[in-house]
Amino acid sequence: MVYARAFGVWLIIIACETCHGILRNLFLAPRIGDFRARQTGVFVATLLIYVITLLFIKFINASGERQLLLIGIGWVVLTLFFEISLGRLLHLSWDRILSDYNL
């Protein structure tokens, strides 16, 4: 049950991150450029994930630090899989997908 709840919170995180990415591309990138907008977006995204995690940590109801660490690792793996899969689905090149990880 804990991991199902954690997966549900991850879905909320991904939904927020998707909206964040769309808004970043619509409003910030035209003003400061794509690369700089993506760099800035890392900090905004980190803050969003932190706030969502704080709001839902009790809901997840993890039993200890080990379980929380596993949930965090799971979120990272799921997010990487999601971003790479979405990038490939949108026919982005591997160079373009990997450039998101070049700060």
Side-chain angles (χ1 to χ4, degrees):
M1 187 62 151
V2 170
Y3 295 110
R5 288 178 183 213
F7 181 74
V9 174
W10 176 78
L11 290 174
I12 294 169
I13 290 170
I14 286 301
C16 287
E17 285 301 314
T18 301
C19 292
H20 165 252
I22 292 168
L23 293 173
R24 183 189 71 227
N25 286 336
L26 287 175
F27 298 109
L28 192 58
R31 288 179 173 77
I32 65 172
D34 181 60
F35 184 69
R36 181 67 87 200
R38 287 189 283 142
Q39 286 179 320
T40 304
V42 169
F43 299 104
V44 175
T46 301
L47 182 62
L48 284 170
I49 293 168
Y50 182 72
V51 168
I52 292 167
T53 302
L54 282 178
L55 290 172
F56 287 97
I57 195 73
K58 288 184 181 178
F59 169 76
I60 293 172
N61 198 24
S63 63
E65 291 178 10
R66 184 175 189 279
Q67 202 167 42
L68 289 170
L69 181 62
L70 289 173
I71 289 168
I73 291 169
W75 283 355
V76 169
V77 170
L78 287 169
T79 301
L80 287 171
F81 179 76
F82 175 81
E83 289 181 351
I84 291 169
S85 297
L86 182 62
R88 297 306 293 161
L89 185 67
L90 296 173
H91 304 292
L92 299 178
S93 69
W94 281 106
D95 286 338
R96 172 59 182 87
I97 293 168
L98 295 175
S99 73
D100 286 339
Y101 300 94
N102 179 10
L103 299 178

